[in-house]
Amino acid sequence: MSQPILSSRPSDEISNLGRNDPEEPLLSGRTSAPKQQIGRGKWIQLALLVWAVIATAGVVVVGVLYQNAGSELDQAKFPPSGKRNVIFMVSDGMGPTSLHVTRSWRQYTDDLPYDDTLFLDKHIIGTSRTRSSNSLVTDSAAGATAFSCGKKSYNGAISVLPDHSPCGTVLEAAKKAGYKTGLVVTTRITDATPACFSAHVNMRSEEDRIAEQQIGYYPLGRVVDLMLGGGRCHFLPSSTPGGESCRNDDRNIVREAQTKFGFSYVSNRAGFDTLQKGKNVSLPLLGLFAKSDIPYEIDREDADYPALWEMAEAAIIALSEATKNSEQGFFIMVEGSRIDHAGHANDPAAQVREVLAYDKTFQKMVEWAEKSDVQTVVVSTSDHETGGLAAARQLHAEYPDYLWYPSALNNATHSGEYLGTQLAAFPHLDDEKKLDKFIRNDILVEGLGVLDASEEEVKRLKHTKTGAGYTLSDIVSRRAQIGWTTHGHSGVDVNIYGIGPAIAKLSGNHENTDIGNFIQDYLELDLEAITKELIREGVKGADASHQVFSWMGKSLEDITKNPNWITDQLDCYHGEFKREVRGVLHPCAHHPHPH
């Protein structure tokens, strides 16, 4: 019977084992030296052991002291000395679930393993709380004001505080400190996020006035060196043929930007290509590549529109070249604007492609920063989440399966917005037979990859033929089993990503204003001085009505007369149902919610 491997052996067997084996001392640790040498060997081993313990303890102590000293040294070096750049990125409307859905869809589409993640995933450092001063759910204006001014304000405010006074922004202060500045977006350049860095108005809807301020018509003069995005219609006179203008007056802001403020101007893909990826740029530069928003990535044609990453790369190369002989670097804000729009539309097929484009842009910014000889911080976050996206959806009363289907997002070749526009423009809307065929073949099969449309879905599209975007997006969402809770924003915390000197200051959970304050501190900017200048010079520029901040648009009185205005009372209920406590209507329950 064989003996177990770990069985006990008699002591004499152990003592006799390998007695004549010359390698036995090496294997057993025993020495074959005479007995009189054994004692000395033990003392030597004991001394070596004590020495090893003391040495190890010394290394640990030195390491801890070095780490603490290093941390204190890092703190002492913040902000770092020398030339600096900031690339600040905003993923408008992108919440944590957007990352999961995009990551999973990409893995499915490209046949990747489950641990093949997005570039953003590798650089997450914290999270941000997003509420505004007057609502637990912020809008983009209040969210961007937190970034640009480092202060909370009300929904709709463009770098204006709750008392309707202007607040200096990091872009304005950077320009005054000698930095070059830039804005790159995929929506209108006059939209809330870019506006909050370069303009001051009481309500975000005043995009005509924002355009004027962005080129230099306001107390500080021109502060933006480079602007790339959409929104051409707010810069062209109302008399422009072809419906290209959306201004309420006949001012040609493009021409004024060129003649009065020295801007160079490009307006299409061919014009963008002349910039030679940023190597052939004359600052200041205004690039407006679409009448309104640049199309979704799922709809965008390379021949017609530049991508976000192309514009961002061209911008940082141009700004880097412009500052190569300067003691100061540059500040730029880059926004993946239409992630938000896809959330509003509840369009998962459009959103995953917008997030992927943003991820690619973030990667290019990080790779450039890591190669730069200038200390560059890249910070990325969202102003809020949009849509209340959920990576699950219960379609029936029965208990649901734990799954969702990325293949449904892969089948779509266009957004609901694009296909809805195609449907509205169909020339035979009154011909039932032709309309039915067009919806089934061109819209559902060719556009969304839907082969199993129900009669009810086709009927809904016929009924909403001039506004079918939401219906089309819902058709995709249901097949993917993707859920949405709203066509608006949600109050969920959003992620912070980044690389660069002292970026660890943004680790953990932060108020969104902390991000603006980090940028201010990193570049050693004086926003209070900018605020004082805005107020002082703004008063000088007041019109005949003697309103102190008339250059900022509609007055406080005009705004509060608007029935959609919300007070600063967070306990006011703004929904469809009147809030009652024990049968008594809440005193502010009559305030409606803004659209």
Side-chain angles (χ1 to χ4, degrees):
M1 182 175 178
S2 62
Q3 193 167 5
I5 292 174
L6 297 179
S7 66
S8 301
R9 286 171 173 161
S11 58
D12 61 337
E13 185 177 349
I14 295 175
S15 62
N16 290 329
L17 181 63
R19 179 170 288 173
N20 297 320
D21 186 352
E23 293 184 357
E24 198 275 343
L26 300 176
L27 298 174
S28 66
R30 296 186 179 90
T31 177
S32 58
K35 289 183 178 181
Q36 63 268 21
Q37 296 182 2
I38 293 176
R40 186 176 66 181
K42 287 185 176 180
W43 282 111
I44 292 173
Q45 289 180 349
L46 181 60
L48 289 174
L49 177 62
V50 171
W51 179 86
V53 171
I54 294 172
T56 302
V59 169
V60 171
V61 170
V62 170
V64 170
L65 291 174
Y66 178 80
Q67 185 177 20
N68 290 339
S71 299
E72 292 174 3
L73 189 61
D74 288 342
Q75 295 295 335
K77 286 185 176 179
F78 185 82
S81 59
K83 190 172 181 178
R84 283 154 272 173
N85 300 322
V86 169
I87 301 173
F88 178 53
M89 301 185 65
V90 179
S91 46
D92 196 325
M94 185 180 80
T97 309
S98 299
L99 271 294
H100 161 77
V101 171
T102 303
R103 184 191 309 118
S104 302
W105 167 75
R106 173 177 166 271
Q107 290 167 354
Y108 171 84
T109 301
D110 297 343
D111 194 23
L112 300 172
Y114 65 83
D115 59 351
D116 191 304
T117 58
L118 299 174
F119 192 80
L120 281 162
D121 292 321
K122 300 173 178 65
H123 295 85
I124 185 168
I125 56 175
T127 57
S128 169
R129 306 185 294 274
T130 61
R131 57 156 288 180
S132 68
S133 70
N134 71 330
S135 179
L136 295 175
V137 180
T138 189
D139 83 324
S140 293
T145 296
F147 301 146
S148 64
C149 294
K151 297 179 183 297
K152 294 283 188 181
S153 196
Y154 58 90
N155 288 356
I158 300 295
S159 291
V160 172
L161 300 180
D163 66 358
H164 297 272
S165 64
C167 55
T169 75
V170 291
L171 184 144
E172 293 167 333
K175 180 63 176 177
K176 289 290 184 177
Y179 291 83
K180 292 297 183 182
T181 61
L183 299 170
V184 175
V185 301
T186 51
T187 186
R188 306 172 308 284
I189 200 71
T190 52
D191 200 15
T193 303
C196 281
F197 290 86
S198 54
H200 303 268
V201 294
N202 290 314
M203 289 302 291
R204 59 181 291 178
S205 57
E206 294 202 62
E207 293 189 50
D208 288 359
R209 188 179 293 269
I210 290 168
E212 296 162 17
Q213 292 188 19
Q214 286 178 322
I215 67 167
Y217 284 118
Y218 84 129
L220 300 182
R222 183 184 64 79
V223 296
V224 191
D225 294 301
L226 179 148
M227 290 184 279
L228 301 177
R232 192 167 55 233
C233 69
H234 287 288
F235 290 79
L236 297 177
S238 57
S239 59
T240 304
E244 283 294 303
S245 174
C246 53
R247 283 191 68 84
N248 292 318
D249 58 35
D250 210 32
R251 290 181 64 180
N252 190 328
I253 304 302
V254 168
R255 183 183 301 164
E256 292 179 34
Q258 293 172 299
T259 58
K260 295 188 177 181
F261 296 98
F263 278 90
S264 53
Y265 176 62
V266 289
S267 61
N268 51 33
R269 178 74 209 212
F272 176 79
D273 289 342
T274 65
L275 304 179
Q276 299 177 17
K277 299 182 178 180
K279 298 175 182 177
N280 184 39
V281 171
S282 176
L283 299 179
L285 170 66
L286 176 63
L288 303 173
F289 306 111
K291 172 186 174 182
S292 183
D293 305 320
I294 292 175
Y296 284 125
E297 191 62 22
I298 193 173
D299 304 320
R300 184 185 63 84
E301 296 289 344
D302 279 334
D304 297 329
Y305 304 96
L308 177 63
W309 64 85
E310 292 181 285
M311 293 190 290
E313 275 193 310
I316 60 173
I317 290 172
L319 294 174
S320 179
E321 179 67 20
T323 58
K324 65 181 180 180
N325 296 320
S326 171
E327 293 183 0
Q328 282 76 36
F330 63 79
F331 168 84
I332 186 171
M333 192 284 295
V334 178
E335 183 188 36
S337 318
R338 303 216 65 196
I339 300 170
D340 173 65
H341 292 187
H344 282 296
N346 289 180
D347 190 335
Q351 187 172 88
V352 293
R353 291 162 175 87
E354 290 300 305
V355 172
L356 198 61
Y358 183 84
D359 185 68
K360 182 176 181 177
T361 306
F362 178 77
Q363 180 173 356
K364 288 184 176 294
M365 297 298 97
V366 167
E367 290 173 348
W368 183 91
E370 290 177 336
K371 294 176 183 177
S372 175
D373 57 0
V374 179
Q375 299 175 96
T376 302
V377 162
V378 181
V379 181
S380 168
T381 192
S382 303
D383 46 359
H384 53 76
E385 191 272 349
T386 303
L389 176 62
R393 182 165 182 165
Q394 184 164 342
L395 298 175
H396 308 289
E398 296 81 10
Y399 194 81
D401 293 326
Y402 296 163
L403 50 75
W404 69 273
Y405 299 104
S407 57
L409 311 187
N410 208 38
N411 293 339
T413 57
H414 283 292
S415 68
E417 176 185 273
Y418 175 91
L419 295 171
T421 301
Q422 296 297 109
L423 179 56
F426 184 62
H428 307 291
L429 290 176
D430 295 330
D431 188 319
E432 177 69 19
K433 187 175 181 179
K434 289 182 178 179
L435 178 60
D436 185 86
K437 182 179 179 181
F438 181 74
I439 288 174
R440 293 177 188 274
N441 295 340
D442 295 63
I443 300 297
L444 293 171
V445 175
E446 297 298 326
L448 297 183
V450 172
L451 306 178
D452 60 346
S454 68
E455 291 302 316
E456 178 60 28
E457 287 172 329
V458 174
K459 182 179 179 181
R460 284 173 59 199
L461 288 172
K462 290 178 180 178
H463 180 70
T464 59
K465 53 193 173 187
T466 58
Y470 281 5
T471 301
L472 291 164
S473 296
D474 184 60
I475 288 172
V476 175
S477 293
R478 292 177 68 85
R479 281 160 177 77
Q481 290 190 209
I482 288 288
W484 305 86
T485 63
T486 178
H487 282 291
H489 300 170
S490 76
V492 69
D493 289 2
V494 295
N495 293 341
I496 304 173
Y497 307 88
I499 61 107
I503 196 66
K505 285 183 174 290
L506 291 177
S507 64
N509 184 255
H510 290 267
E511 204 63 51
N512 54 6
T513 51
D514 293 344
I515 299 169
N517 290 327
F518 171 81
I519 296 171
Q520 176 183 351
D521 293 341
Y522 180 77
L523 294 179
E524 297 182 272
L525 304 176
D526 188 350
L527 269 62
E528 289 304 315
I530 300 299
T531 298
K532 291 177 182 177
E533 185 175 353
L534 285 166
I535 294 173
R536 181 178 66 252
E537 298 300 322
V539 171
K540 290 180 181 179
D543 61 21
S545 67
H546 301 295
Q547 294 180 27
V548 174
F549 305 122
S550 61
W551 58 275
M552 288 167 28
K554 292 180 180 179
S555 67
L556 173 61
E557 183 181 359
D558 290 335
I559 291 173
T560 53
K561 286 179 180 177
N562 187 324
N564 287 331
W565 171 250
I566 303 178
T567 71
D568 281 339
Q569 295 172 280
L570 284 173
D571 60 345
C572 286
Y573 189 88
H574 307 294
E576 296 176 0
F577 303 101
K578 302 304 181 184
R579 180 179 176 185
E580 294 186 12
V581 179
R582 296 181 181 177
V584 179
L585 188 66
H586 193 277
C588 62
H590 65 280
H591 291 289
H593 193 284
H595 300 293

